[in-house]
Amino acid sequence: MFSGFDIGIDLGTANTLVYSKNKGIVVNEPSVVAIDTESKKIVAVGMEAKEMIGKTPEKIIAVRPLKDGVIADFDTTTEMIKHIMRQASKKIGLALRKPNVIVCIPSGSTSVERRAIHDTVKNAGAKKITLIEEPVAAAIGAGLPVDEPIANVVVDIGGGNTEVAIISFGGVVACHSIKVGGDRLDEDVIQYVRKEYNVMIGERTAENVKMEIGYALIDHEEKFMDVRGRDLVTGLPKTIKLSSYEIRNAIKESLLHILEAVRATLEDCPAELSGDIVDRGVILTGGGALLNGMKDWLSKEIFVPVQLAEEPLESVAIGTGMAVPYINKLPATISK
Ligand code: ADP
Ligand code: MG
């Protein structure tokens, strides 16, 4: 029997969050680690490390140890989780003992990848570890009745991946996971600016462009933004003016991939549950859900209502915490 937990961890490709039973979200940091390549020591973790991306001297590199939703670098991820668990323990006052942890795993992950997440959290100092499927956590966090025989559809657009899942009666009945998420949109912006203007811009700049003047494929009033980068011809700094229309075009292909994953999942839906989807619609979560016009665009394309989760960046973390009452009821989605 599952007895309890101290913290829930949403180990995302872009952000890692920790939820505590009593205190709510106690840690919310970018999943970034800065490493000194000479001493191999970790110089910074989280926001401090993210600030360093693309700005550090050569011997310090800022890395994101999770790529496409899976652990790309085992040791660095372990160090990052250690750091984050320490931070959480301090805030909650658990410092003296090892915490029991619930941690999310992407639905599309293999048993090897699941084991890697389990072992990493264990090595980082957890006592008991319970794994829960991410879309299920997202659905619980968004307040959906996952333990009822009703179709709950979740579209979670993260940094490295997008997961679309239909959950009913405590289990995932259909799901598609693609390695296209917010990071890909940033990459699209970088490539576009390089090709069109011969200017190289950094990852952070591209992300800002996406957040400010990036739009899903809907009509909107054109917006502009001045952006600085390096002219690839002269090598000198250069400022260019970007329009929201050209950015929309630059990210179009990636958005269509996301739409395709949503459509494919809905097509896999058992007929008996299809009616629920028409009535109840789809819930949109993850940071990518915040792209301007995302909700309206998806709704228009799939002909069902789309609702934005209340806190798209936090639903998964909140869901891990709220999952406790379900844990003994949802054997299909939980493993210890
Ligand atoms: P993960 O679960 O993989 O850690 P998150 O759910 O934290 O990912 O989402 C991170 C992604 O959301 C990043 O690609 C980020 O750029 C994107 N994002 C965050 N806010 C916005 C916004 N306002 N508009 C568009 N994208 C956003
Ligand atoms: Mg996530």
Side-chain angles (χ1 to χ4, degrees), residues 257-310:
H257 276 301
I258 293 175
L259 175 61
E260 214 30 67
V262 178
R263 284 216 177 106
T265 314
L266 296 183
E267 279 166 21
D268 288 349
C269 181
E272 288 291 357
L273 291 175
S274 285
D276 291 347
I277 299 179
V278 176
D279 295 339
R280 299 167 45 83
V282 167
I283 190 130
L284 195 54
T285 184
L290 293 167
L291 183 74
N292 299 306
M294 194 67 194
K295 172 176 106 78
D296 295 339
W297 173 61
L298 268 187
S299 177
K300 184 174 86 117
E301 293 292 336
I302 58 177
F303 306 107
V304 300
V306 176
Q307 203 191 324
L308 190 62
E310 226 165 85

Side-chain angles (χ1 to χ4, degrees), residues 103-177:
V103 62
C104 301
I105 41 165
S107 254
S109 56
T110 63
S111 58
V112 175
E113 288 160 356
R114 286 167 192 224
R115 169 68 34 199
I117 292 177
H118 178 278
D119 293 352
T120 312
V121 176
K122 185 107 203 165
N123 287 344
K127 192 162 127 210
K128 203 163 80 191
I129 297 152
T130 308
L131 303 178
I132 174 169
E133 297 210 31
E134 209 166 314
V136 177
I140 294 173
L144 300 179
V146 294
D147 54 346
E148 290 175 30
I150 296 175
N152 297 284
V153 188
V154 179
V155 178
D156 179 357
I157 309 173
N161 54 355
T162 296
E163 296 214 321
V164 188
I166 302 175
I167 299 152
S168 174
F169 218 40
V172 174
V173 289
C175 99
H176 280 251
S177 176

Side-chain angles (χ1 to χ4, degrees), residues 10 12-13 15 134 156 158 286 316:
D10 168 14
T13 55
N15 297 293
E134 209 166 314
D156 179 357
V316 169

Side-chain angles (χ1 to χ4, degrees), residues 21-259:
K21 196 167 39 179
N22 305 320
K23 303 214 161 148
I25 289 175
V26 288
V27 179
N28 182 354
E29 294 271 359
S31 307
V32 183
V33 180
I35 302 168
D36 182 324
T37 51
E38 276 168 20
S39 66
K40 305 268 185 280
K41 284 238 167 71
I42 289 182
V43 194
V45 174
M47 199 59 219
E48 204 187 327
K50 185 173 179 181
E51 297 285 348
M52 293 180 178
I53 290 183
K55 297 184 194 167
T56 51
E58 250 168 46
K59 67 173 195 134
I60 292 173
I61 49 164
V63 296
R64 292 180 47 184
L66 292 115
K67 266 225 143 45
D68 306 331
V70 300
I71 295 177
D73 180 338
F74 195 85
D75 293 341
T76 312
T77 306
T78 307
E79 288 306 316
M80 184 178 86
I81 299 174
K82 257 189 208 162
H83 181 98
I84 277 166
M85 288 203 329
R86 259 200 309 272
Q87 230 177 318
S89 297
K90 247 188 237 155
K91 288 222 175 134
I92 314 169
L94 272 175
L96 292 177
R97 63 181 177 90
K98 292 183 158 194
N100 291 327
V101 175
I102 304 181
V103 62
C104 301
I105 41 165
S107 254
S109 56
T110 63
S111 58
V112 175
E113 288 160 356
R114 286 167 192 224
R115 169 68 34 199
I117 292 177
H118 178 278
D119 293 352
T120 312
V121 176
K122 185 107 203 165
N123 287 344
K127 192 162 127 210
K128 203 163 80 191
I129 297 152
T130 308
L131 303 178
I132 174 169
E133 297 210 31
E134 209 166 314
V136 177
I140 294 173
L144 300 179
V146 294
D147 54 346
E148 290 175 30
I150 296 175
N152 297 284
V153 188
V154 179
V155 178
D156 179 357
I157 309 173
N161 54 355
T162 296
E163 296 214 321
V164 188
I166 302 175
I167 299 152
S168 174
F169 218 40
V172 174
V173 289
C175 99
H176 280 251
S177 176
I178 55 166
K179 295 184 188 317
V180 176
D183 296 348
R184 181 68 65 86
L185 305 183
D186 302 347
E187 191 54 37
D188 291 338
V189 172
I190 294 175
Q191 295 302 340
Y192 170 80
V193 172
R194 195 174 55 83
K195 276 210 191 108
E196 197 63 28
Y197 296 92
N198 255 316
V199 168
M200 193 66 202
I201 59 169
E203 267 172 54
R204 298 294 308 278
T205 304
E207 189 182 29
N208 287 335
V209 168
K210 171 186 73 178
M211 289 179 180
E212 278 204 24
I213 60 163
Y215 280 81
L217 312 178
I218 54 155
D219 290 332
H220 66 272
E221 197 179 320
E222 190 172 20
K223 277 195 193 163
F224 295 91
M225 182 175 170
D226 283 337
V227 170
R228 269 176 247 164
R230 180 166 49 89
D231 189 319
L232 288 168
V233 179
T234 63
L236 297 172
K238 187 170 178 181
T239 303
I240 52 171
K241 192 186 272 304
L242 293 174
S243 139
S244 58
Y245 287 1
E246 53 185 335
I247 296 305
R248 185 180 52 187
N249 229 12
I251 62 178
K252 183 174 168 189
E253 284 301 312
S254 303
L255 290 174
L256 291 175
H257 276 301
I258 293 175
L259 175 61

